[in-house]
């Protein structure tokens, strides 16, 4: 997944808040969205620009690995020093279920 085009087209504004946190600001039709990828606590913090919205916390384990790798690479590009991501967990093969007569 190449996110360079999106960043280069200014659809996203990325800054390194700390050596471990990448802030992503996005302007949308419905308002603004703030995402903080915290590689030290391995959580994504999301909030809207609205005063009615709260903060949503999503553990990295629930996020797409390709996005995490891209966000970590962007943080490194901006001078951050995030820890390495843990190895990808193997997926379990689900047994095939068919129709049983």
């Amino acid at each position: 997944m190449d996110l360079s085009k999106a960043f280069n087209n200014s659809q996203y504004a990325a800054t390194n808040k700390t050596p471990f946190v990448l802030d992503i600001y996005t302007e949308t039709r419905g308002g603004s969205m703030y995402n903080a990828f915290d590689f030290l606590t391995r959580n994504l913090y999301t909030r809207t620009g609205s005063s009615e919205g709260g903060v949503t916390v999503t553990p990295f384990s629930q996020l797409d690995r390709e996005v995490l790798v891209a966000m970590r690479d962007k943080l490194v590009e901006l001078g951050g020093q995030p820890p390495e991501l843990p190895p990808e967990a193997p997926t379990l093969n689900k047994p095939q279920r068919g129709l049983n007569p």
Side-chain angles (χ1 to χ4, degrees):
M1 169 185 290
D2 184 14
L3 298 176
S4 300
K5 291 179 182 178
F7 283 109
N8 292 338
N9 291 333
S10 300
Q11 294 174 356
Y12 300 93
T15 58
N16 59 333
K17 189 171 189 175
T18 74
F20 310 110
V21 179
L22 176 68
D23 276 350
I24 304 289
Y25 171 78
T26 310
E27 193 69 42
T28 64
R29 291 181 184 169
S32 52
M33 179 76 64
Y34 301 90
N35 294 295
F37 289 85
D38 188 332
F39 287 90
L40 199 57
T41 63
R42 295 187 179 145
N43 287 309
L44 168 63
Y45 301 92
T46 304
R47 68 181 175 87
T48 63
S50 168
S51 61
E52 296 175 9
V55 175
T56 303
V57 180
T58 307
F60 277 10
S61 61
Q62 294 179 7
L63 299 175
D64 183 83
R65 177 123 180 130
E66 289 182 56
V67 170
L68 290 175
V69 169
M71 295 301 114
R72 185 185 181 284
D73 290 348
K74 186 65 177 179
L75 182 56
V76 169
E77 179 185 316
L78 294 172
Q81 301 167 345
E84 292 290 330
L85 291 171
E88 190 169 7
T91 58
L92 299 175
N93 292 332
K94 293 183 181 179
Q96 294 290 331
R97 291 187 174 219
L99 297 174
N100 293 328

